Amino acid sequence: MVNRISTSGKYDRLFADMQKNLYNYNKISEQLASQSKVNSITDDPIAAVNILNTSRQLGQMDIFAQNVKLGMTELSTLDDLMELASGYLSHTWDKAVQANNQTYSETALRALKVEVDENIKTMVDLANTEYNDNYIFGGTNTKVTPFEIAENGDIIYRGTPHDNPDYVRRTEVADGVFETINTTGDRVFGYYRAAVEPGNGVWTDTKGNRVLETTENGAQVFRYENGNLYEGDIADLTDGAPEEAEGVMGAMKLLSNSLEMVLNGETEEGYELMNSTLSMFDKSLTRISEEQTKFGGVYNRLEMTTSTLETNNENLTTYLSSIRDVDIAEAVTNWLQAQYAYQASLQVSSSAMNMSLLNYMR
């Protein structure tokens, strides 16, 4: 039995071939226009998923690279400030050693006190440096000026204390990898608080922290210097507070106080206090050096991270190009072939559809 192809079936086949050639032509035209081999998930589902995943990874790397760049800049600023602090500290330490020889005249001692007091102000300015609108040495309390010189000469630290683990600020430099990029002002520079006699509204808790007595809405309230409410038993508070001197600020302030004592005739006590500052200067310089070494290591790791990110970015970009980007020369050749095929199908369809029974009649 011979199967006869109907006229309708013939036209359906011609139309289907023409539509297929048109689809190929339009698809290659779209690839040329977008220069991408995959313009919808139906073009190549596996390639589309790989493109999305690779693009996401590249986006993450851009964020990591920006984090590393900002972190390195802040660490560089941090190191510069600590280097300056070391210089002022070493200079003041030398002056303290010379003054301890008790060979300075009264005029020289007065000049030294002025110099030390100015160095204290300079050190406070260094400690209050901002980077990117944040105070570098404030811990996580980056919007409040870290150090303040009070009217009584206290050098008060307002930032997050180093003994609070929450002082740490970290930046993500790789997926799940974080680097610490900050330290605290009390760790690097220390602080100074003068002794307060009982009855002056300053108390000390069992841990040695100062608590200030105030009146709010007619009621007696006790708050820490950072403003937090004291919630312990008032009976555990000790009236008054001892002198506290720590780090660079403490050493410089004690040196200034000792010079004041000597100038006021308290020679023995003054030189005894001055001598005690020498070990504080030594310890402070060592601490700054330790912080520089620690963050120097972090900076080096960030440099290596930068190199790794650049290599990974280059590899992923190459891979993304291989699955997404169009080979222009190949695409143009395919486009011309698709165009010819479509035009040919149009001509064949047109010729076939124009034929009728009259073409076979003589």
Side-chain angles (χ1 to χ4, degrees):
M1 179 178 180
V2 177
N3 291 327
R4 178 177 176 274
I5 300 176
S6 67
T7 302
S8 175
K10 180 179 67 174
Y11 288 165
D12 287 342
R13 174 61 63 86
L14 289 172
F15 183 74
D17 290 341
M18 182 179 65
Q19 287 294 101
K20 180 180 178 182
N21 291 329
L22 176 61
Y23 171 78
N24 290 335
Y25 173 73
N26 287 337
K27 180 179 179 180
I28 299 173
S29 296
E30 185 180 12
Q31 290 178 344
L32 276 172
S34 65
Q35 297 188 11
S36 174
K37 290 185 287 189
V38 182
N39 292 290
S40 68
I41 195 168
T42 57
D43 290 341
D44 189 335
I46 295 177
V49 171
N50 288 336
I51 288 172
L52 289 175
N53 288 335
T54 305
S55 298
R56 178 183 58 80
Q57 292 180 58
L58 286 170
Q60 283 184 323
M61 285 186 181
D62 288 340
I63 295 173
F64 295 150
Q66 185 67 19
N67 290 345
V68 169
K69 181 180 178 180
L70 291 174
M72 291 178 68
T73 305
E74 182 167 346
L75 287 175
S76 180
T77 304
L78 183 69
D79 183 69
D80 290 342
L81 291 171
M82 288 193 288
E83 190 66 30
L84 285 172
S86 296
Y88 283 108
L89 174 59
S90 298
H91 177 74
T92 308
W93 186 10
D94 290 340
K95 294 292 184 180
V97 171
Q98 295 173 24
N100 264 283
N101 293 329
Q102 303 185 28
T103 57
Y104 275 20
S105 65
E106 180 179 342
T107 301
L109 288 174
R110 290 189 185 279
L112 177 56
K113 185 178 187 311
V114 171
E115 183 178 357
V116 171
D117 290 341
E118 289 302 313
N119 282 349
I120 291 174
K121 295 177 183 177
T122 300
M123 201 67 73
V124 169
D125 288 340
L126 288 176
N128 288 337
T129 298
E130 290 181 90
Y131 170 75
N132 199 24
D133 293 328
N134 292 320
Y135 289 103
I136 291 181
F137 293 103
T140 51
N141 196 8
T142 58
K143 299 302 181 182
V144 176
T145 306
F147 283 93
E148 173 192 349
I149 301 179
E151 292 184 2
N152 68 345
D154 284 4
I155 306 173
I156 304 170
Y157 176 62
R158 303 291 189 189
T160 312
H162 193 268
D163 59 7
N164 182 347
D166 292 335
Y167 82 84
V168 173
R169 285 190 291 112
R170 293 176 177 174
T171 185
E172 190 173 13
V173 298
D175 194 12
V177 179
F178 296 82
E179 288 287 358
T180 300
I181 59 171
N182 77 311
T183 183
T184 63
D186 60 341
R187 171 68 180 174
V188 177
F189 297 96
Y191 54 85
Y192 174 80
R193 297 186 182 95
V196 180
E197 295 295 327
N200 288 292
V202 178
W203 301 73
T204 305
D205 69 6
T206 55
K207 295 182 179 180
N209 300 313
R210 295 192 179 198
V211 180
L212 308 181
E213 178 184 348
T214 61
T215 300
E216 298 178 10
N217 299 323
Q220 185 185 43
V221 177
F222 294 87
R223 293 186 179 276
Y224 289 103
E225 290 179 308
N226 61 7
N228 292 338
L229 185 67
Y230 171 73
E231 298 178 345
D233 192 338
I234 296 178
D236 293 334
L237 295 175
T238 302
D239 195 0
E243 182 181 52
E244 298 177 45
E246 180 68 27
V248 180
M249 303 296 192
M252 286 187 168
K253 186 59 181 176
L254 289 182
L255 178 58
S256 176
N257 292 348
S258 67
L259 290 168
E260 183 73 24
M261 293 172 67
V262 173
L263 290 170
N264 289 336
E266 302 176 65
T267 307
E268 184 176 347
E269 296 87 347
Y271 278 115
E272 182 178 344
L273 177 60
M274 191 184 301
N275 184 64
S276 70
T277 66
L278 298 182
S279 61
M280 291 185 66
F281 280 114
D282 185 18
K283 182 180 177 181
S284 300
L285 194 61
T286 299
R287 178 173 293 178
I288 292 176
S289 178
E290 289 173 349
E291 291 296 290
Q292 285 184 288
T293 301
K294 179 175 71 175
F295 287 104
V298 175
Y299 189 91
N300 289 337
R301 288 198 297 275
L302 291 183
E303 280 189 323
M304 289 188 290
T305 300
T306 298
S307 178
T308 301
L309 286 173
E310 289 176 351
T311 301
N312 290 343
N313 186 285
E314 183 178 344
N315 291 337
L316 282 176
T317 300
T318 301
Y319 171 68
L320 180 62
S321 177
S322 69
I323 61 176
R324 182 191 63 187
D325 295 347
V326 168
D327 183 324
I328 299 298
E330 181 181 352
V332 168
T333 300
N334 293 337
W335 179 78
L336 289 172
Q337 291 175 349
Q339 185 183 47
Y340 295 150
Y342 176 56
Q343 290 174 345
S345 66
L346 284 176
Q347 292 175 354
V348 170
S349 299
S350 176
S351 299
M353 289 180 180
N354 286 332
M355 294 182 65
S356 69
L357 186 59
L358 297 175
N359 294 107
Y360 298 95
M361 295 178 63
R362 295 284 186 248

